Amino acid sequence: MSDSDLKGDPELMEFLQSAPPRLVPAGFTKAIPDRKEVWGKVIFGAMFLILGSVFTLIFVPKNYIQQLSILRGPSTEVVGTVLDSTETSQSENEVKVWETTFQYRAEDGKEREGTVFRTGGGWDPNDRVRVIYLNRDPEKALIKGTRLDPFGPAASFVLIFPIAGLGLLLTAFKGRKRNKKLLRDGWVAQAMVADINKQSLRVNGRFRHTIQFVRLDDAQEMKWVTYDTAKIELCYRKREANEAVTLLYDPKEPKKIDLPEAWGKTFSISSHDYLEKTKSGTIAKPLQVAPWIDDFLNSPVPRKLPSKLRWNTPYLVRTSIPTIMGIGIFLTGAIFSSKLVSWNWVMKSRLDATAVATVVREEDGVDFISIPVIRVKYSFEDQYGYTHQSVVYTVGKGHPPGIQINVKYDRDHPEASLPDGFWIERANLIGIFLLIFPAIGLCMLVIPHAAESRRFRVLRHGTVEVAKIVRIEDTGKTENYQAVFAIWIQPINGMSEIRYETMKEKELKYAMRALDLGETIRVLIDPKHPKVCVLPETW
């Protein structure tokens, strides 16, 4: 191996020149890249897994399926008696969770006890309550309007932490195992760097790059995707110097490639300006169009999309990542909105009975936008004599224990009640602004898929036109820290100019070469919206 970068490390050079399967020496960690990154994933993965498991044991409801079976029935409703009701150390949205023990008698005549939880208040001993029990298993019962766990199903979102931790650990160990396998069984070859494509996806401040190599021994093309700045910079230097680079690759999976010359080295990657690279002539080479592209463009409309276009990496990046983020923001926003936004306007339409309630206690709540909010706990009896307690909010004190207030409640579900002049959540109607979060999540779900549906419409129904590049302008805009350029395209059939924006290096190379040499290009144009087009020869 004659490369000067490897000659400076005789041990590594001797190791790579040995025939696979190689014996990896103990402590030979220099040849295992991204060691710090692997250990970072292990540490953070273990932290997320351990802490997430603790949160799961505390918050995730364990009896939720049993609770659903009781509510779905067939169930029977009977009168029960409260034995004890105590305030727990747990709280939901800064409102204490109460644990209540009750007693009831099923149809078989046997008395049974149960324990339920409720946010905002409990009952006094000997209060009569409405109990629901499962007919096929009378041991499973709850007080109407309560739950069997301290927290509801919304608390299950904490499962994301152990899942994320487990994913980080699996990724770290899998990558470590893959690197060792590549060291032991990988083949070594010399190759020229044919192309470097910087993409818009950015992870931990590093851009994704797709690098294309051409091996010197058999002229076989190999593609490799990496975020490693040292290896990307090495490929840029090798391409500009027209020198070969040493590859270590898996013969069974040629996409698994590494560059031994970059091991243990760091580079400050410079910004490779697209236009400067083009003007220097380093990328002014003919673009090779794959045969399947010609077949696709010549197929009748509506065209059938090949899997290469439907499930390509840019499509997955543009849709899958926003979809996952959109679902997360939507669910998180919906959960918090349901807890903080006042639903008085929904409640009032359901309340069809009135009663006189007694204030149990009044206490300071949490200020909302510098407004002091007071929490009031009250108790009342419904038309059947059952006792119900709940918590509401208001502004300003003046509701001492024992004072009577008017309350409206639902005859069928008396646990749904609301006194006059109070609201059921801290934020009142001011908190409606929190609905912006589920709205943002919904937009992140809809907009990328709408944009991709427009792109698919162009691919299926677009007309193929021959055109020329008129000019290329820097828009001054950036997207994901990449400059956005405007390519002005003039179809030769007399249509008006089309302004096509891109930040893709491959499309810009293609357009600059066509502009410099005066070549024509093929454009796929939406017949209903002529300003919408794609450049199929850059696929």
Side-chain angles (χ1 to χ4, degrees):
M1 198 175 299
S2 59
D3 196 282
S4 58
D5 286 329
L6 289 179
K7 280 185 176 180
D9 193 338
E11 184 183 4
L12 177 58
M13 185 175 180
E14 180 182 358
F15 173 76
L16 293 176
Q17 286 180 336
S18 60
R22 304 176 186 87
L23 178 63
V24 182
F28 191 51
T29 57
K30 182 180 178 181
I32 301 179
D34 297 330
R35 184 173 178 83
K36 293 183 179 179
E37 182 177 343
V38 170
W39 277 109
K41 290 181 179 179
V42 171
I43 294 172
F44 281 101
M47 290 174 57
F48 273 92
L49 182 60
I50 294 173
L51 294 178
S53 300
V54 174
F55 291 153
T56 299
L57 292 175
I58 296 175
F59 295 106
V60 173
K62 305 170 185 61
N63 301 309
Y64 185 65
I65 296 178
Q66 178 179 328
Q67 178 179 325
L68 287 180
S69 65
I70 297 173
L71 296 177
R72 290 175 180 174
S75 303
T76 302
E77 183 176 322
V78 295
V79 177
T81 304
V82 173
L83 300 178
D84 187 32
S85 190
T86 58
E87 187 179 76
T88 68
S89 60
Q90 298 160 321
S91 60
E92 186 177 13
N93 292 328
E94 300 180 9
V95 180
K96 287 294 185 179
V97 176
W98 286 68
E99 180 180 0
T100 301
T101 304
F102 63 95
Q103 187 180 61
Y104 65 99
R105 187 188 302 272
E107 291 183 350
D108 58 6
K110 183 179 178 180
E111 287 192 349
R112 295 175 172 86
E113 294 184 3
T115 301
V116 292
F117 297 88
R118 187 186 183 196
T119 302
W123 289 267
D124 295 326
N126 299 321
D127 279 348
R128 295 202 304 167
V129 291
R130 303 164 73 178
V131 176
I132 307 173
Y133 70 86
L134 192 62
N135 290 348
R136 63 176 181 269
D137 188 0
E139 296 289 340
K140 297 178 179 179
L142 54 79
I143 298 176
K144 202 167 185 178
T146 61
R147 55 183 181 265
L148 297 179
D149 297 284
F151 299 98
S156 299
F157 80 93
V158 299
L159 288 172
I160 193 173
F161 297 107
I163 293 175
L166 186 61
L168 285 173
L169 289 175
L170 291 177
T171 303
F173 289 123
K174 184 178 179 181
R176 190 74 170 171
K177 183 178 179 181
R178 182 178 64 247
N179 289 334
K180 288 184 177 180
K181 183 177 182 298
L182 190 62
L183 287 172
R184 185 182 66 248
D185 304 318
W187 289 11
V188 179
Q190 296 288 316
M192 301 298 293
V193 179
D195 187 34
I196 304 175
N197 184 18
K198 181 181 180 182
Q199 299 173 355
S200 60
L201 181 60
R202 182 173 176 142
V203 178
N204 293 330
R206 299 186 297 179
F207 285 105
R208 173 190 173 109
H209 286 69
T210 300
I211 303 174
Q212 184 174 347
F213 302 101
V214 178
R215 281 168 41 187
L216 298 180
D217 53 356
D218 56 4
Q220 180 181 351
E221 292 186 355
M222 304 176 71
K223 284 188 177 182
W224 181 48
V225 176
T226 183
Y227 296 86
D228 194 310
T229 54
K231 296 169 185 175
I232 295 168
E233 178 70 16
L234 174 66
C235 291
Y236 272 115
R237 292 195 297 108
K238 292 292 186 180
R239 187 181 69 170
E240 292 169 5
N242 198 26
E243 295 179 354
V245 64
T246 302
L247 304 182
L248 181 63
Y249 68 96
D250 188 340
K252 296 181 180 179
E253 298 181 70
K255 290 185 178 181
K256 294 182 179 179
I257 301 174
D258 213 332
L259 307 182
E261 297 170 59
W263 292 347
K265 295 182 175 62
T266 58
F267 298 93
S268 57
I269 185 166
S270 58
S271 58
H272 298 273
D273 185 85
Y274 300 143
L275 294 178
E276 291 301 321
K277 288 289 181 184
T278 305
K279 292 175 183 178
S280 67
T282 58
I283 57 177
K285 60 179 182 180
L287 185 68
Q288 296 181 351
V289 180
W292 68 268
I293 296 179
D294 292 327
D295 297 337
F296 172 75
L297 295 177
N298 294 329
S299 60
V301 177
R303 304 178 184 88
K304 183 179 179 181
L305 297 184
S307 58
K308 294 181 179 180
L309 292 179
R310 181 180 292 275
W311 302 113
N312 58 359
T313 300
Y315 168 73
L316 295 176
V317 170
R318 288 191 298 265
T319 57
S320 298
I321 294 179
T323 297
I324 295 173
M325 293 179 63
I327 291 175
I329 294 176
F330 178 80
L331 293 179
T332 303
I335 291 171
F336 279 96
S337 298
S338 65
K339 297 297 181 183
L340 294 178
V341 175
S342 174
W343 300 110
N344 292 9
W345 54 282
V346 176
M347 286 283 293
K348 289 181 179 179
S349 63
R350 297 171 46 190
L351 307 182
D352 53 3
T354 59
V356 176
T358 303
V359 174
V360 178
R361 67 172 179 270
E362 181 185 64
E363 56 188 26
D364 293 337
V366 177
D367 291 355
F368 182 77
I369 316 181
S370 300
I371 300 175
V373 178
I374 306 302
R375 184 163 52 225
V376 177
K377 181 179 180 181
Y378 64 94
S379 173
F380 72 97
E381 289 187 357
D382 62 16
Q383 57 185 340
Y384 303 107
Y386 299 118
T387 303
H388 303 274
Q389 290 188 357
S390 188
V391 172
V392 289
Y393 297 86
T394 186
V395 176
K397 295 186 178 181
H399 305 87
I403 192 173
Q404 292 185 334
I405 55 177
N406 295 323
V407 62
K408 294 181 179 179
Y409 66 92
D410 187 346
R411 293 180 186 272
D412 297 328
H413 302 279
E415 63 274 6
S417 63
L418 181 64
D420 295 336
F422 294 80
W423 59 83
I424 59 176
E425 293 292 349
R426 289 176 297 166
N428 198 10
L429 295 177
I430 303 174
I432 203 74
F433 82 95
L434 290 172
L435 292 175
I436 191 174
F437 294 104
I440 291 174
L442 189 61
C443 290
M444 293 185 68
L445 285 172
V446 173
I447 292 176
H449 290 279
E452 287 306 306
S453 65
R454 183 177 64 178
R455 172 176 170 267
F456 285 158
R457 186 179 68 246
V458 177
L459 296 178
R460 290 193 180 98
H461 304 280
T463 58
V464 181
E465 301 290 345
V466 180
K468 283 195 171 185
I469 303 297
V470 179
R471 63 187 181 276
I472 299 176
E473 300 173 348
D474 188 347
T475 63
K477 299 185 296 184
T478 59
E479 185 174 343
N480 293 330
Y481 303 95
Q482 288 187 274
V484 178
F485 294 89
I487 303 174
W488 291 88
I489 304 172
Q490 176 63 65
I492 63 175
N493 63 356
M495 294 176 60
S496 58
E497 288 185 356
I498 300 173
R499 186 176 187 269
Y500 179 78
E501 290 191 357
T502 183
M503 57 182 180
K504 298 179 180 178
E505 183 179 8
K506 189 173 183 180
E507 291 183 345
L508 195 58
K509 293 178 187 178
Y510 170 73
M512 287 295 295
R513 184 181 187 280
L515 178 63
D516 292 341
L517 302 181
E519 295 180 341
T520 58
I521 63 172
R522 285 182 293 177
V523 185
L524 201 56
I525 302 175
D526 187 345
K528 295 183 178 180
H529 305 279
K531 297 296 183 181
V532 179
C533 67
V534 295
L535 306 180
E537 293 179 329
T538 61
W539 295 339

